[in-house]
Amino acid sequence: MPIELTWFIVSSAGLIVFLGMMFGAFIWGGLADKVGRRKCLIVVLAMNCISAFFSSFAQGYGFFLFFRLFSGIGIGGSVPIVYSYFSEFLQMDKRGEHLSWLCMFWMVGGIYASFTAWGIIPRYGWGFSMGSEFQFHSWRVFVLNAKHDEAWMILKQVHDTNWRAKGEPERVFTVTQIKTPKTQEDEFIEIQTATGTAFQRWVVRTLTLTKLVMKNVLSLLGRDLRLPTLLMAIIWFTMAFSYYGLSVWFPDMIKHLQHEEYESKLKVFHREKVEQFHFNFSLENQVHKEGEYINDKFTNIEMKSVKFEDSLFVDCVFENIRSTETLFENCTIRGTLFYDTDLYEEKFIDCTFENVTFLHNKKGCHLDYEEENDVLIYLVSFLGSLAVLPGNIISALFMDKIGRIKIIGGSMLISAGCTFFLFLSFSQAAIIAWQCLFCGVSVAAWNGIQVITVELYPASKRATAFGVLNAICKLAAILGSSIFASFVGITKVIPILLSFGALVGGGVLALKLPETREKVLL
């Protein structure tokens, strides 16, 4: 398989998950405010689990992308629900800290994924996913739509558990009922439960629910919420655009530097004539121009980055050949046998064949890649994920002490400084070091953004707002990944300036947000 097609497949698989996460966050965030957190969370987790399971068995690339899309919808849908749900159990003075610990589990999953990818994918091609289980120790009043009795029982259970943990098991739960306003849409749904066919009732409920969700989405731009929503949308976008764009740019840039270093050691052979010679040693990083090979044998060897141009092969034998980025261009091949090789048709460009035989070609889709270089890329990804742990711990410990605004603004502005110093990075080691520093600093901004998002909005709009903003985040991730990757090998000025400008702009705007660390969630 050509390397360009390989990278297209890899990038498409990544982007399709982001696309699914974008739609999942928007759809399920809105539904969670109308149908209920727990019910929606169970559905999206099941969707992710089932889709991931079937994608691992998909035999065609189209089916694989289809299942990865639905897996992304499940992942994206779970994020706004989990953060909204968890925040409503937390007491005010510890809310920022515990939400930051929750954020850290996403990073722990990233470390686990990087570690397993590094250790497994280059050798076996398998992937894994990891779930996290959280124990809630304190609570705030939260809304479960149209489930008043169930909500009351859950609140009482949380109340009794917490006071038993504090050594006061006899403390009385004083809430006797939960009051929620009844809308015309609720009455309309109730009327339809006893009329029409089952399908008609389902259509009415679906349309009414869609109307309620969209009404909730539009309410985020109402007079009271318009300014914080616009500020948060810009901050989410700028942070995601820079973070995910650089997350792609760092490993791609390292690969580019590796490629440049590799090409600088290229060996060129011009008009060589080899007769009755046995090539039983591997060929690597070579170009052979206008050569003649008569009665030669190429057996039990590996060809890495080898190119034959305008060459003649007569009565040769290629046996048990494994190749990587190897091409034959404008060559004439006569009376030659290819036995048990992976030299497929696409590796011969404008070649002339005369009495040539191909027997027992190696089966399957062969991916052109350098294993040694790929191991380094997995290591880089692992180090980047590992670097976020110190930033996560520090931000969690200080989130409630110095406030969300200072955490977000300071982290984004320092991250901008890290990207600016990339102008001075000309080696792989320097880029890896700045990547680790950038990831470690920027994670504090991520934690602050997610904490303040759930605190800015009332319970009836919290998951909707988080879902909409998270969808904007995934859109920015798609754009950032695509734009930054397109400049690799061309210039590093534009990606650095784009990320620097976005982070500075988002960091300055973050300082204009209202501080929410002493806000009671309603």
Side-chain angles (χ1 to χ4, degrees):
M1 183 181 294
I3 191 167
E4 294 82 2
L5 181 56
T6 301
W7 281 112
F8 171 76
I9 289 174
V10 173
S11 61
S12 297
L15 290 177
I16 202 71
V17 174
F18 275 125
L19 186 65
M21 291 175 72
M22 181 178 72
F23 286 110
F26 181 85
I27 295 169
W28 289 102
L31 288 174
D33 279 331
K34 293 301 175 185
V35 178
R37 318 281 201 241
R38 182 175 178 272
K39 183 183 294 185
C40 289
L41 184 59
I42 291 172
V43 173
V44 295
L45 291 178
M47 179 184 296
N48 178 35
C49 180
I50 295 170
S51 299
F53 176 80
F54 281 111
S55 69
S56 66
F57 291 95
Q59 299 299 305
Y61 185 58
F63 280 109
F64 175 78
L65 288 183
F66 175 79
F67 288 122
R68 293 310 298 165
L69 174 66
F70 276 89
S71 179
I73 292 174
I75 297 170
S78 67
V79 173
I81 300 173
V82 166
Y83 281 98
S84 301
Y85 198 21
F86 189 39
S87 68
E88 293 160 345
F89 282 90
L90 300 171
Q91 61 192 49
M92 184 176 61
D93 59 335
K94 290 288 185 180
R95 191 166 59 223
E97 178 184 339
H98 286 288
L99 282 171
S100 297
W101 295 130
L102 176 61
C103 297
M104 189 173 71
F105 276 86
W106 181 272
M107 304 303 173
V108 171
I111 295 172
Y112 175 80
S114 299
F115 180 77
T116 53
W118 176 26
I120 297 172
I121 291 177
R123 298 169 179 81
Y124 308 109
W126 286 89
F128 296 90
S129 61
M130 181 180 68
S132 300
E133 188 172 320
F134 303 95
Q135 184 177 357
F136 307 140
H137 295 288
S138 55
W139 57 276
R140 288 291 169 188
V141 175
F142 61 100
V143 175
L144 291 174
N145 292 275
K147 300 288 184 179
H148 304 159
D149 295 336
E150 181 181 344
W152 186 89
M153 291 298 295
I154 292 173
L155 287 175
K156 186 178 186 305
Q157 182 181 358
V158 173
H159 170 275
D160 295 343
T161 301
N162 286 336
W163 283 111
R164 277 197 302 270
K166 293 182 177 181
E168 299 185 40
E170 304 302 324
R171 183 65 69 98
V172 178
F173 182 56
T174 58
V175 177
T176 58
Q177 61 179 335
I178 297 176
K179 294 182 179 181
T180 58
K182 193 173 188 179
T183 65
Q184 291 181 346
E185 288 87 352
D186 295 329
E187 294 175 353
F188 184 58
I189 291 176
E190 290 180 3
I191 293 172
Q192 291 299 316
T193 57
T195 61
T197 64
F199 177 74
Q200 288 173 329
R201 292 195 295 271
W202 177 83
V203 170
V204 169
R205 290 192 181 111
T206 301
L207 292 176
T208 305
L209 185 58
T210 302
K211 180 182 176 182
L212 289 172
V213 170
M214 293 308 301
K215 183 179 179 180
N216 221 22
V217 171
L218 293 175
S219 70
L220 301 178
L221 295 176
R223 185 178 62 182
D224 296 336
L225 297 175
R226 184 184 300 120
L227 181 58
T229 298
L230 291 177
L231 288 176
M232 288 304 301
I234 296 172
I235 294 168
W236 271 93
F237 185 92
T238 54
M239 188 64 202
F241 181 81
S242 301
Y243 182 85
Y244 288 105
L246 288 176
S247 295
V248 170
W249 186 83
F250 281 127
D252 282 1
M253 192 63 186
I254 292 172
K255 268 190 170 294
H256 175 69
L257 293 175
Q258 290 175 340
H259 183 68
E260 283 189 334
E261 181 182 355
Y262 194 70
E263 284 198 332
S264 68
K265 301 176 182 178
L266 177 68
K267 298 176 182 178
V268 179
F269 300 87
H270 192 66
R271 291 185 178 178
E272 62 179 353
K273 186 172 183 179
V274 183
E275 294 187 55
Q276 297 182 342
F277 185 79
H278 186 190
F279 290 87
N280 58 358
F281 50 87
S282 293
L283 307 178
E284 182 175 359
N285 202 18
Q286 301 176 1
V287 174
H288 300 261
K289 297 182 177 181
E290 300 180 18
E292 293 184 12
Y293 306 90
I294 313 297
N295 290 314
D296 294 324
K297 291 184 177 180
F298 300 79
T299 60
N300 302 317
I301 65 173
E302 186 172 7
M303 294 182 175
K304 291 184 177 181
S305 299
V306 178
K307 187 176 183 181
F308 294 94
E309 295 181 0
D310 304 305
S311 297
L312 173 66
F313 295 85
V314 179
D315 298 328
C316 293
V317 174
F318 291 81
E319 182 178 354
N320 191 22
I321 305 296
R322 183 177 180 270
S323 65
T324 302
E325 298 182 18
T326 295
L327 295 174
F328 296 76
E329 188 172 336
N330 295 320
C331 294
T332 300
I333 305 173
R334 299 173 184 161
T336 295
L337 171 65
F338 292 88
Y339 182 85
D340 192 25
T341 74
D342 60 4
L343 298 173
Y344 296 106
E345 188 176 317
E346 64 268 15
K347 296 192 176 183
F348 297 90
I349 301 173
D350 297 327
C351 293
T352 301
F353 294 95
E354 298 177 12
N355 195 26
V356 175
T357 304
F358 289 86
L359 291 177
H360 300 290
N361 276 8
K362 295 182 187 295
K363 296 180 180 180
C365 178
H366 178 68
L367 300 181
D368 281 340
Y369 65 92
E370 297 288 344
E371 289 187 8
E372 295 86 355
N373 292 346
D374 277 355
V375 169
L376 177 60
I377 296 302
Y378 288 119
L379 175 60
V380 169
S381 177
F382 175 73
L383 290 176
S385 299
L386 191 63
V388 306
L389 280 180
N392 248 314
I393 294 171
I394 293 172
S395 65
L397 294 177
F398 288 94
M399 187 69 70
D400 290 313
K401 292 181 174 63
I402 67 176
R404 288 74 163 125
I405 305 306
K406 293 178 181 178
I407 288 283
I408 299 170
S411 175
M412 292 186 74
L413 293 175
I414 296 173
S415 298
C418 293
T419 64
F420 189 78
F421 280 104
L422 287 170
F423 280 119
L424 305 178
S425 303
F426 301 99
S427 66
Q428 298 178 38
I431 290 179
I432 293 172
W434 283 113
Q435 177 199 15
C436 292
L437 183 59
F438 173 80
C439 291
V441 172
S442 62
V443 69
W446 276 122
N447 290 356
I449 288 170
Q450 291 170 132
V451 170
I452 202 171
T453 297
V454 298
E455 293 177 333
L456 276 173
Y457 298 91
S460 61
K461 297 176 174 62
R462 185 168 296 129
T464 300
F466 204 113
V468 170
L469 294 172
N470 205 253
I472 293 173
C473 166
K474 296 306 176 285
L475 175 61
I478 294 172
L479 293 175
S481 301
S482 304
I483 293 172
F484 280 52
S486 65
F487 287 102
V488 174
I490 300 175
T491 178
K492 65 179 183 179
V493 173
I494 294 178
I496 292 174
L497 290 179
L498 284 174
S499 59
F500 178 80
L503 287 169
V504 169
V508 171
L509 287 177
L511 299 176
K512 297 184 178 297
L513 288 170
E515 181 56 68
T516 57
R517 57 176 165 168
E518 296 183 357
K519 181 178 179 180
V520 177
L521 296 189
L522 299 175

